[in-house]
Amino acid sequence: MSVTKKRSDCPVSCSLDVWGDKWSLLIIRDLMTAKACTYGDFLKAPEGIATNILAARLQALEENKIIKKLPHPDSKAKVLYKLTQKGIDLLPVMVEVNLWAEKYFSIPEDRKALLKEVKKDKAGFIKAMMKELES
Amino acid sequence: MSVTKKRSDCPVSCSLDVWGDKWSLLIIRDLMTAKACTYGDFLKAPEGIATNILAARLQALEENKIIKKLPHPDSKAKVLYKLTQKGIDLLPVMVEVNLWAEKYFSIPEDRKALLKEVKKDKAGFIKAMMKELES
DNA sequence: TATTTACACTTGCAAAATGCAAGTAAAGTT
DNA sequence: AACTTTACTTGCATTTTGCAAGTGTAAATA
């Protein structure tokens, strides 16, 4: 019985990989735009994440303390997911990613409008957005 | 005979995923620190990428025009990989990632030293670094 | 009160991606 | 001419993913 090594256990030293793959990214993106989401909200994302993958990613992100689970104020049956401070601190990364994406891809209009704000005052935008996410 | 759909074909709209997974990221990281690498250089990275995966990622990154293949000045047997302008433009993202990583993880000393420079003058650092990569 | 419905998941299984070891072909070295 | 270096490719076992269906609890509805 040999021990199976997993390459994925070894992080790339720039640490971008700690937040994982595209599906984890989708979760973080949704949480940055909506501030708080339920399990169902993530499932509704246009990219179409599979429910088992969503569950796995939410668990991993929680274990890495990038997101946190909170009781929903409206109902005991619901769960609210939010970014932790560690997750919120990824905002500058996301902003740069979007600026890059705007340059090389076509992006939705609402995102373009936001980026217009960013370009006026990047530091100010990030500070304000972070404050919003923290509340 | 049903058509198999691949989830991975659908990009997350923030477009962080266009540069792919952790192995693609390793390639980009190496190219940002070393400016130009051979196939063997990537294989030597401490994270230990498998050769077939490396080949696949190099091809994908080239198809996405993030890296380019150049003839090696020393030998016809060698190939030089470099970042394209599109790849170089990912530098601000990488800088933010590293700033985040420094806050929440332990990172190598040489990287810490670089980040000290970054914190003194982020815009200046990025501009200078980009210029270096373009040459 | 009984019974659907909503919500947050879990499970089983086929298909795809990954990791490892070994192999190949062209170029460079001795 | 034989050996090595370099950039890959190939085969196969293991792991991960995607899809569909199912489970359990709380809330809404009849």
Side-chain angles (χ1 to χ4, degrees):
Chain A
M1 200 170 141
S2 66
V3 181
T4 45
K5 269 178 257 170
K6 281 195 298 176
R7 296 274 194 183
S8 50
D9 285 346
C10 172
V12 170
S13 86
C14 77
S15 292
L16 186 59
D17 56 298
V18 298
W19 75 57
D21 68 349
K22 71 173 271 191
W23 298 120
S24 310
L25 197 69
L26 181 151
I27 292 168
I28 294 170
R29 181 204 62 189
D30 282 358
L31 286 175
M32 280 186 179
T33 53
K35 283 207 221 178
C37 297
T38 63
Y39 193 91
D41 290 336
F42 295 121
L43 281 180
K44 273 178 240 148
E47 286 88 356
I49 185 170
T51 173
N52 53 342
I53 305 298
L54 175 58
R57 294 302 177 277
L58 286 172
Q59 200 190 328
L61 285 169
E62 204 191 349
E63 278 167 9
N64 280 299
K65 314 229 173 181
I66 288 170
I67 65 171
K68 60 188 170 189
K69 252 169 124 166
L70 298 169
H72 198 288
D74 295 354
S75 150
K76 276 186 194 172
K78 289 186 187 178
V79 176
L80 259 193
Y81 288 96
K82 278 196 168 197
L83 290 169
T84 60
Q85 188 58 51
K86 187 174 171 185
I88 294 169
D89 283 341
L90 283 169
L91 186 63
V93 178
M94 285 298 203
V95 166
E96 291 302 337
V97 167
N98 277 280
L99 285 168
W100 179 77
E102 191 195 24
K103 192 166 175 185
Y104 292 103
F105 304 87
S106 56
I107 62 167
E109 279 305 321
D110 55 337
R111 201 163 294 268
K112 269 191 202 168
L114 262 179
L115 288 177
K116 218 169 189 173
E117 295 300 310
V118 170
K119 277 180 242 173
K120 267 187 236 164
D121 174 18
K122 200 193 278 183
F125 177 91
I126 288 174
K127 203 172 169 183
M129 188 94 177
M130 277 189 163
K131 209 165 190 177
E132 262 191 71
L133 288 168
E134 278 159 30
S135 61
Chain B
M1 201 169 138
S2 66
V3 181
T4 44
K5 269 179 254 170
K6 282 194 299 176
R7 295 276 194 179
S8 49
D9 286 345
C10 172
V12 170
S13 86
C14 77
S15 293
L16 186 58
D17 56 298
V18 297
W19 75 56
D21 67 349
K22 71 172 271 192
W23 298 120
S24 311
L25 196 69
L26 180 151
I27 293 168
I28 294 170
R29 181 205 61 188
D30 283 358
L31 287 176
M32 281 188 179
T33 55
K35 282 206 217 174
C37 297
T38 64
Y39 193 90
D41 291 335
F42 295 122
L43 281 180
K44 273 178 240 147
E47 286 87 356
I49 184 169
T51 174
N52 54 342
I53 305 298
L54 174 58
R57 293 302 177 278
L58 286 172
Q59 199 190 328
L61 285 169
E62 204 191 349
E63 278 168 9
N64 280 299
K65 314 228 173 178
I66 288 170
I67 65 172
K68 59 188 170 189
K69 253 168 124 166
L70 298 169
H72 197 288
D74 294 354
S75 152
K76 275 186 192 170
K78 289 187 187 176
V79 177
L80 259 193
Y81 288 95
K82 278 194 168 198
L83 290 169
T84 61
Q85 187 58 54
K86 188 174 170 185
I88 294 170
D89 283 342
L90 283 169
L91 186 63
V93 179
M94 285 299 202
V95 167
E96 292 301 338
V97 167
N98 276 281
L99 286 168
W100 179 78
E102 191 195 25
K103 192 167 175 183
Y104 291 103
F105 303 89
S106 55
I107 62 167
E109 280 304 321
D110 55 336
R111 201 164 293 269
K112 269 190 201 169
L114 261 179
L115 288 176
K116 218 167 188 174
E117 295 302 309
V118 170
K119 277 180 242 173
K120 267 186 234 163
D121 174 17
K122 199 192 279 184
F125 176 91
I126 288 174
K127 204 173 170 184
M129 187 95 177
M130 277 188 163
K131 210 166 189 177
E132 261 193 71
L133 288 168
E134 278 159 30
S135 61

